Amino acid sequence: VGVHAQNDSVMMANLYRKALTDGKCYQALDYLSNKIGGRLSGSPQSYQAIHWAEKTMKEFGFDSVWLQPCMVPHWVRGAKEKGIAIIYKTNKNLEIPKKLETHICALGGSVATPKGGIMAPVVMVDSIQDLQKLGRKAIEGKIVFFNRRMDEAQINTFDAYGRAVDQRWAGPSEAARYGAVATICRSMEVGISKHPHTGSMRYIDSLPKIPCAAISTYDAEELGKYIKEGMGVSFEIEMHCQTLADTLSYSVVGELKGTEHPEEIILVGGHLDAWDNGDGAHDDGAGVVQSMEVLRLFKASGIKPKRTLRAVLFMNEENGLRGGKKYAELAKENHEKHICAIETDAGGHTPRGFGLTSDSAKYQKLLSWAPLFKPYHIYEFEPHGGGADIGPLKEQGVPLMAYMPDSQRYFDYHHTEIDKFENVNKRELEMGSATMAIFVWLLSAHGWE
Ligand SMILES: [Zn+2]
């Protein structure tokens, strides 16, 4: 162990101790979740969050704090959605139907139903490919019910999410292609609950825009069972959502200037917007307060970084990515040199490690630091990783990193009404800040060379 490594491990231990004994991120998350709450871009809460973040970073004493303007979509949910399943003995025998109130919520960006709602027979499919097999005759005039589960056998639940989410994202337009009048999509959840999970979707402009909702995994199981038993199922759906005109919003940036290489920027960030149904405590309140905390830990410990550190709280990750796109555009215009961008947008759970998308020399460098992380039980260093907000920096050759907490419980909360402060653990949240801070320490001290 060289003198370097000894100094590094001492600095890392100090930062980690500070995070666990004198942390500020939990209290910040309390405010963001409980005083502001859900904050979709364009909402009044999103502006409260912008002002709060700016003020908080100034109070932390960062060298500079500024707002970065961007135009954002403005979608509103409106009155609570209604989803009633009507179960008949069979498709032919329509006597004495059973009615079930289900737990649904509109997908972000969805159009409303006509006033009074839509009622139509349900056709259940496993995938977008199934639509083609069934053809227009089986689908026209119906409500398509996408019911493919997230694969419980995947150890990283983000992998399972990636393999299931096309039903939500592309399903509505693909169903409309065959004449469907609406879609309901099984929620992106590994387990079974009565919480519907919202999320974004995208219409194809040349196809009819049909209303689309997520249905809880509990209700999806019920409907699936009735359909498999040969019973007739219709669905009545009513939604009041609306897309308003694009509006001006902001990402919030805070900076500690580097002492030796101020032109070399290390970015740590998450997204400030969050879905409207919960408080966005995990997604991505955790990432917001952790990003600010990384810089605060340096400042409060009296450490002046050699390279410039930036906390970036991006606006509009959930339904447009406008903040991330704008940030990359300006970075290019201003010839900024980011030596690394780290995104924390995977929840406030126990840290596991990092993923890095870059060249093999940088990955080898990261691996060479792995022993320094061992005391903190950080063992995972994957050769790929990044994040939605920092993704647009990729074409400028910026090394992209994902901070990776444990993923097992993330999709219990993701995009639901239970993504709330009480479901984030203080210590786990603080360990996340600390883990990023010690990586940022290493990179700010040594660079990638
Ligand atoms: Zn997120």
Side-chain angles (χ1 to χ4, degrees):
V1 177
V3 178
H4 254 335
Q6 267 176 28
N7 180 48
D8 287 336
S9 62
V10 170
M11 294 302 283
M12 290 163 77
N14 288 343
L15 282 166
Y16 225 97
R17 182 178 304 110
K18 183 96 184 152
L20 295 181
T21 59
D22 187 25
K24 296 276 186 275
C25 59
Y26 189 65
Q27 156 188 341
L29 186 63
D30 187 1
Y31 192 94
L32 180 60
S33 308
N34 290 320
K35 294 284 193 290
I36 299 175
R39 46 193 177 274
L40 208 51
S41 66
S43 68
Q45 294 90 334
S46 70
Y47 297 103
Q48 286 172 32
I50 291 161
H51 295 305
W52 164 82
E54 184 188 22
K55 184 168 153 265
T56 304
M57 290 205 264
K58 282 183 175 163
E59 281 167 8
F60 286 164
F62 297 169
D63 296 333
S64 39
V65 179
W66 68 93
L67 303 185
Q68 191 174 82
C70 57
M71 292 302 288
V72 295
H74 188 190
W75 177 84
V76 291
R77 182 175 304 280
K80 193 167 164 47
E81 303 85 345
K82 202 165 78 180
I84 293 166
I86 301 116
I87 320 293
Y88 302 103
K89 271 220 168 73
T90 67
N91 281 322
K92 299 265 151 49
N93 183 349
L94 306 184
E95 282 166 51
I96 325 173
K98 186 162 128 184
K99 287 194 175 191
L100 293 178
E101 188 122 13
T102 67
H103 306 81
I104 67 161
C105 66
L107 296 181
S110 177
V111 296
T113 57
K115 217 171 165 206
I118 292 175
M119 183 169 135
V122 168
V123 52
M124 180 169 75
V125 298
D126 216 36
S127 65
I128 287 169
Q129 292 71 36
D130 279 358
L131 298 171
Q132 198 188 0
K133 283 182 216 150
L134 284 168
R136 177 168 276 272
K137 231 181 123 190
I139 295 168
E140 193 158 39
K142 306 239 170 84
I143 293 177
V144 167
F145 168 34
F146 289 99
N147 193 23
R148 184 164 88 257
R149 308 168 71 97
M150 269 173 77
D151 179 5
E152 297 92 336
Q154 296 293 322
I155 303 306
N156 184 332
T157 60
F158 285 90
D159 293 338
Y161 181 66
R163 291 169 196 209
V165 77
D166 66 320
Q167 317 168 72
R168 188 193 81 199
W169 173 253
S173 277
E174 292 307 321
R177 194 185 292 282
Y178 297 95
V181 292
T183 66
I184 47 178
C185 182
R186 183 188 180 100
S187 283
M188 297 294 126
E189 178 172 339
V190 182
I192 302 296
S193 84
K194 290 185 178 176
H195 306 295
H197 295 233
T198 192
S200 57
M201 48 73 54
R202 186 159 67 193
Y203 289 124
I204 296 172
D205 280 336
S206 58
L207 293 166
K209 293 183 168 68
I210 60 172
C212 49
I215 185 166
S216 79
T217 49
Y218 172 86
D219 294 308
E221 286 288 292
E222 290 287 294
L223 295 197
K225 196 178 71 192
Y226 289 126
I227 291 168
K228 277 184 204 134
E229 283 170 4
M231 298 169 96
V233 175
S234 287
F235 205 81
E236 194 185 331
I237 183 169
E238 187 171 0
M239 309 200 304
H240 309 272
C241 30
Q242 220 182 331
T243 298
L244 308 173
D246 281 10
T247 182
L248 180 63
S249 189
Y250 306 88
S251 298
V252 186
V253 188
E255 190 177 87
L256 292 183
K257 206 75 178 161
T259 53
E260 284 182 26
H261 307 284
E263 74 292 354
E264 294 190 6
I265 300 163
I266 300 168
L267 181 163
V268 51
H271 61 88
L272 195 49
D273 61 311
W275 286 106
D276 57 323
N277 45 357
D279 294 341
H282 275 294
D283 188 12
D284 186 20
V288 164
V289 299
Q290 286 174 331
S291 300
M292 297 196 293
E293 181 76 343
V294 168
L295 270 64
R296 193 198 68 85
L297 288 169
F298 275 72
K299 180 79 191 174
S301 307
I303 304 171
K304 291 194 190 318
K306 286 186 189 172
R307 292 167 171 84
T308 293
L309 311 187
R310 243 185 222 177
V312 183
L313 313 180
F314 296 94
M315 183 48 67
N316 186 230
E317 188 271 349
E318 293 294 3
N319 59 336
L321 214 60
R322 300 283 181 83
K325 287 176 182 162
K326 189 57 154 187
Y327 185 90
E329 196 184 303
L330 290 174
K332 192 173 183 182
E333 220 173 277
N334 298 326
H335 306 288
E336 287 182 341
K337 183 183 178 191
H338 289 76
I339 65 162
C340 190
I342 310 160
E343 183 140 356
T344 160
D345 183 20
H349 294 112
T350 303
R352 294 281 192 195
F354 295 97
L356 171 67
T357 301
S358 189
D359 53 49
S360 71
K362 291 188 182 67
Y363 182 58
Q364 289 309 317
K365 184 74 190 179
L366 178 64
L367 290 184
S368 77
W369 285 328
L372 291 163
F373 286 87
K374 229 179 149 188
Y376 310 101
H377 300 188
I378 306 297
Y379 308 115
E380 285 183 28
F381 298 93
E382 299 288 330
H384 51 81
D389 296 293
I390 58 175
L393 288 167
K394 192 175 183 184
E395 62 167 42
Q396 296 169 44
V398 177
L400 302 182
M401 261 183 127
Y403 160 65
M404 304 187 309
D406 185 84
S407 75
Q408 304 315 316
R409 283 175 288 146
Y410 186 60
F411 290 97
D412 295 357
Y413 309 119
H414 189 244
H415 300 178
T416 70
E417 67 263 27
I418 60 164
D419 185 1
K420 295 214 155 171
F421 180 67
E422 59 262 34
N423 289 322
V424 176
N425 176 278
K426 178 174 186 283
R427 189 170 172 82
E428 292 179 356
L429 181 76
E430 289 170 346
M431 291 181 86
S433 310
T435 297
M436 281 184 283
I438 61 176
F439 170 75
V440 168
W441 157 258
L442 286 169
L443 190 61
S444 67
H446 307 297
W448 289 113
E449 305 313 317

